[in-house]
């Protein structure tokens, strides 16, 4: 039997592309197992984000905001399950889908934001250690499972329907294929190779100021900065638009300066040293866990004097950089999406 799975997420200049890219990773895994996938949502103002779906042959359909209208659309497409990954969905969306007999996986970052689901995924580091309260309790079933809604789905994940922690990190094919095939360039006399980017759209517009912070160190380096908006900066900086070559650029870099979003799991898997900031409140939970655990360097929310000091140390000391890379590489084995797909398909 071929299962059909819908992904309800959006991407755009204002919202970024993190939700879309982690859904793409899971969709790739499901397609590899013979499932059919459909994306429901909007890709607004980012040609690069839309191209990620077109290149993979993943259809995109506009999705209504009202839960009842979404339920009808899911019925029309004959979807067996829906993955919800959004901070702006109506709180009753998951409950409405489950009441109609559709299995629901909610990808969250700590707070489920009122979404009822058969299965929750929180891939943040240390999520398995934090308390979790779903919007609606369900009763325990045989073997510790809990029965779900009218669709008859079973909650099969660890912790009663919750997949939590970095072992469930969702990585794209292009990243999984890169590990072990690309080698980090040795730092040369002109300094380490730095990659600086803040998501596929740089929704907060911070790439120019962080490029300036690198230059403020006064140390030699070579930087590639990914920005949808071109800008000029005095220093050894090349500005490029969003690119499909990002996994390769990450794998070659001696240091990556970025925000603590979903892309961090890709960097850790590749063993790339990372210096992190955050541009949205939902990224703070990952930032604190990664920086507090000594897995990535912390820059804080803005390129102030303290942040420039951290960058100075990282540019000057390859041993410090490499230690961050080694710690990160031990955390993400690349099989997270397999584990998530196993749990989701078990619901069906």
């Amino acid at each position: 039997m071929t299962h059909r799975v819908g992904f309800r997420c959006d991407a755009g200049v204002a919202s970024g592309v993190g939700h879309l890219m982690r859904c793409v990773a899971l969709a790739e895994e499901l397609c590899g197992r013979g499932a059919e996938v459909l994306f429901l949502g909007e890709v607004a103002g980012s040609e690069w984000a839309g191209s990620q779906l077109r290149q993979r042959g993943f259809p995109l359909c506009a999705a209504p905001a009202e839960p009842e209208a979404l339920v009808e659309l899911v019925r029309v497409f004959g979807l067996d399950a829906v993955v919800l990954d959004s901070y702006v969905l109506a709180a009753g969306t998951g409950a409405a889908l489950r009441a109609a007999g559709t299995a629901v996986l909610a990808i969250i970052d700590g707070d489920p934001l009122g979404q009822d689901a058969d299965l929750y995924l929180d891939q943040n580091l240390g999520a398995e250690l934090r308390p979790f309260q779903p919007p609606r309790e369900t009763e325990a079933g045989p073997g510790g499972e809990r029965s779900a809604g009218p669709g008859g789905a079973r909650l099969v994940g660890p912790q009663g329907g919750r997949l939590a922690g970095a072992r469930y990190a969702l990585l794209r094919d292009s990243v999984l294929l890169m590990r072990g095939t690309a080698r980090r360039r040795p730092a040369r006399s002109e300094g380490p190779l730095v990659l600086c980017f803040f998501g596929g759209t740089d929704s907060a517009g911070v790439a120019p100021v962080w490029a300036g912070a690198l230059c403020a160190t006064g140390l030699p380096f070579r930087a590639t900065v990914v920005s949808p908006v071109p800008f000029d900066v005095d220093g050894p900086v090349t500005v490029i638009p969003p690119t499909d070559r990002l996994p390769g650029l990450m794998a070659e870099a001696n240091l990556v300066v970025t925000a603590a979003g979903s892309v961090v799991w890709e960097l850790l898997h590749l063993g790339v040293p990372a210096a992190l900031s955050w541009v949205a409140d939902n990224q703070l939970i990952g930032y604190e866990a990664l920086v507090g655990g000594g897995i990535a360097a912390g820059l804080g929310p803005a390129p102030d004097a303290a942040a420039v000091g951290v960058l100075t140390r990282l540019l000057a000391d390859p041993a410090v950089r490499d230690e961050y890379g080694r710690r990160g590489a031990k955390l993400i084995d690349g099989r997270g999406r397999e584990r998530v797909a196993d749990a989701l398909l078990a619901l069906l």
Side-chain angles (χ1 to χ4, degrees):
M1 176 181 177
T2 299
H3 295 300
R4 306 198 76 203
V5 180
F7 289 82
R8 176 65 187 94
C9 66
D10 301 303
V13 173
S15 60
V17 299
H19 297 282
L20 178 70
M21 297 317 297
R22 61 188 184 184
C23 284
V24 162
L26 181 55
E28 289 174 335
E29 178 68 26
L30 291 170
C31 283
R33 301 186 185 203
E36 297 178 0
V37 302
L38 169 68
F39 278 75
L40 305 168
E42 181 180 14
V43 177
S46 174
E47 170 59 26
W48 181 84
S51 73
Q52 301 308 298
L53 298 181
R54 293 192 297 272
Q55 290 171 13
R56 295 166 172 84
F58 295 160
L60 172 66
C61 177
E66 302 78 12
E68 294 76 14
L70 180 61
V71 168
E72 177 59 21
L73 186 64
V74 167
R75 185 195 65 79
V76 169
F77 283 119
L79 301 180
D80 303 299
V82 173
V83 178
L84 303 178
D85 192 354
S86 173
Y87 297 144
V88 298
L89 291 180
T93 301
L97 289 167
R98 294 186 75 216
T102 303
V104 176
L105 164 63
I107 302 180
I108 64 174
D109 296 292
D111 188 348
L113 300 175
Q115 293 302 342
D116 189 15
D118 296 288
L119 190 65
Y120 296 91
L121 166 62
D122 186 343
Q123 64 178 2
N124 287 288
L125 183 67
E128 69 277 15
L129 304 177
R130 291 186 282 270
F132 174 71
Q133 181 64 47
R136 178 165 60 85
E137 289 292 338
T138 52
E139 296 181 358
E145 297 173 343
R146 296 190 294 173
S147 57
R154 303 291 293 178
L155 296 182
V156 296
Q159 305 178 45
R162 183 180 177 222
L163 309 175
R167 72 187 306 265
Y168 297 102
L170 302 174
L171 304 182
R172 296 171 288 158
D173 283 346
S174 56
V175 174
L176 294 174
L177 292 172
M178 189 59 61
R179 182 164 177 166
T181 62
R183 294 185 177 275
R184 194 163 303 121
R185 294 179 183 176
R188 301 172 183 171
S189 58
E190 59 267 36
L193 180 63
V194 181
L195 175 65
C196 179
F197 67 95
F198 292 84
T201 63
D202 188 18
S203 58
V206 297
V209 294
W210 283 108
L214 285 165
C215 294
T217 64
L219 294 177
F221 68 90
R222 299 156 294 146
T224 298
V225 180
V226 181
S227 173
V229 179
F231 65 90
D232 295 322
V233 60
D234 292 331
V237 175
T238 301
V239 181
I240 65 172
T243 173
D244 291 337
R245 298 193 301 114
L246 191 60
L249 293 174
M250 290 191 295
E252 293 178 347
N254 302 115
L255 175 68
V256 171
V257 178
T258 188
S262 298
V263 74
V264 172
W265 314 122
E266 300 180 346
L267 293 172
L268 297 181
H269 179 67
L270 295 173
V272 181
L276 303 180
S277 179
W278 75 88
V279 296
D281 290 344
N282 64 284
Q283 294 177 345
L284 187 56
I285 187 173
Y287 176 91
E288 291 177 339
L290 290 161
V291 174
I295 299 161
L299 298 173
D304 55 16
V308 172
V310 173
L311 291 173
T312 299
R313 184 183 181 211
L314 291 169
L315 292 177
D317 194 336
V320 172
R321 295 195 304 266
D322 291 346
E323 181 59 26
Y324 281 123
R326 282 191 292 270
R327 292 173 186 170
K330 297 176 182 178
L331 287 177
I332 311 296
D333 64 4
R335 299 189 59 194
R337 71 185 209 177
E338 298 176 32
R339 299 180 181 107
V340 176
D342 287 343
L344 176 59
L345 295 176
L347 295 174
L348 310 181

